[in-house]
Amino acid sequence: MFITRTRSALVLAAAAAVSLAGCGDADTGHTTEHGTSTTTADVTTAPARAAHNDADVMFLQMMYPHHAQAIEMARLVPTHTDNQQLRALATQVEQAQAPEMQQITTLLQSFGKPAPTPSEGHGGHEMPGMMSAEQMAALDAASGPDFDRQWLTMMIEHHAGAIAMAQTELAEGENADAKALAQRIIAAQQAEIAQMRAMLGQS
């Protein structure tokens, strides 16, 4: 009886040891070179780099400085005109596009790409609707109704360029978030173009 109990205890101890060893293998099966470990669940749930293609990257890297110039134009308005309708529109432009610039930065980081600075484009590619330095200087030198007319005319062209880039992204891009951003840009800026054309008609 004593021998039988001893053998049973040994069998149970061995089984427990095997079980513990199995758990240890599962927990440390993905040991890194720094000695830390991840579980299988950690590996399968780790975020993968967002799926994208070259069209997505180009769209985002070009739209960032494009938005930056629109915001620069919007910030001229309070000191150059007393037109309350134009001031409200400029505020609307800045409030829409500043958060989109942050989203662009986040998306590019998820692609492993840096965001360009506001003043640079994408590898020399021309961005439709961008104003030249001379045009921006002329706008800054204007005031009152002349400023209003120049600003509206330039921003309509600027918005049309952004819409063209967004349409290219919808046709050629792959990333769902970048394409959703493109769709929002098209909808918002088409509406603002209609508003600005009406404002030009009133002046």
Side-chain angles (χ1 to χ4, degrees):
M1 181 66 71
F2 175 80
I3 293 174
T4 301
R5 288 178 179 175
T6 301
R7 286 178 178 172
S8 297
L10 288 173
V11 169
L12 289 172
V18 170
S19 177
L20 288 172
C23 292
D25 288 343
D27 289 339
T28 60
H30 301 284
T31 302
T32 68
E33 61 183 358
H34 301 295
T36 57
S37 63
T38 57
T39 66
T40 301
D42 290 332
V43 172
T44 56
T45 58
R49 179 165 291 174
H52 65 281
N53 61 15
D54 289 344
D56 297 316
V57 174
M58 182 177 293
F59 165 66
L60 295 170
Q61 288 185 332
M62 291 173 69
M63 192 60 74
Y64 188 93
H66 203 274
H67 271 21
Q69 188 179 72
I71 291 172
E72 181 184 357
M73 292 171 65
R75 288 177 177 171
L76 290 175
V77 171
T79 57
H80 288 70
T81 183
D82 293 326
N83 185 325
Q84 294 303 312
Q85 190 177 8
L86 186 58
R87 285 186 170 206
L89 176 60
T91 298
Q92 178 179 314
V93 167
E94 183 172 356
Q95 289 178 345
Q97 297 196 25
E100 288 176 350
M101 287 178 71
Q102 182 57 54
Q103 183 184 3
I104 288 169
T105 298
T106 301
L107 280 171
L108 284 170
Q109 288 173 344
S110 76
F111 299 166
K113 304 287 185 180
T117 64
S119 60
E120 69 180 350
H122 177 76
H125 292 281
E126 184 178 351
M127 290 170 283
M130 287 287 281
M131 299 299 111
S132 67
E134 292 75 18
Q135 287 174 305
M136 292 296 291
L139 181 64
D140 192 18
S143 62
D146 182 46
F147 173 86
D148 298 352
R149 179 188 56 78
Q150 286 192 51
W151 193 94
L152 289 167
T153 302
M154 290 167 64
M155 192 62 84
I156 287 171
E157 182 180 350
H158 201 271
H159 274 22
I163 290 169
M165 289 192 292
Q167 288 171 336
T168 299
E169 166 62 14
L170 291 180
E172 301 177 8
E174 175 185 329
N175 182 264
D177 290 330
K179 294 178 80 168
L181 173 62
Q183 191 63 65
R184 289 197 302 274
I185 288 170
I186 291 170
Q189 298 198 19
Q190 281 179 339
E192 288 174 352
I193 286 175
Q195 180 182 353
M196 289 187 287
R197 284 178 174 159
M199 290 170 68
L200 277 173
Q202 294 168 6
S203 60

